[in-house]
Amino acid sequence: MSLAIVFLVLFPIWIVYSSLLRPMPRPTFFSDPLQACLLLSAAAAAIAGGLAGLYACAFRRERSIAVILSILLGAFVVYWTIGELLGG
């Protein structure tokens, strides 16, 4: 659950940084290292939290709402990442 909280902290920071503080377009994603680190860290935290939640549900028989929400958040980020990579 803590990885989902990390995502919920880092993602709004990335939104504020990329839209309000640095509105100029960049030629590549890695042209602004702070922006890239914020987004990649947030995505990695959500995906890792989702995988940890899947592990908890499958092998530890965890059935709390917080773990299920963590899995759903990780699935959403994976879905969003695949969509961005495919250009949609």
Side-chain angles (χ1 to χ4, degrees), residues 10-85:
L10 287 177
F11 192 69
I13 292 172
W14 172 76
I15 290 173
V16 168
Y17 179 77
S18 64
S19 63
L20 298 177
L21 300 177
R22 293 279 200 184
M24 67 181 89
R26 302 288 183 175
T28 65
F29 177 72
F30 293 105
S31 293
D32 189 0
L34 180 59
Q35 181 178 357
C37 285
L38 283 172
L39 185 59
L40 291 176
S41 298
I47 293 169
L51 291 175
L54 279 174
Y55 176 80
C57 282
F59 298 111
R60 303 285 184 202
R61 304 291 184 213
E62 180 68 39
R63 298 290 187 255
S64 69
I65 292 175
V67 171
I68 293 171
L69 289 176
S70 176
I71 293 170
L72 290 175
L73 180 65
F76 173 74
V77 170
V78 167
Y79 179 72
W80 179 51
T81 304
I82 290 171
E84 286 291 323
L85 290 174

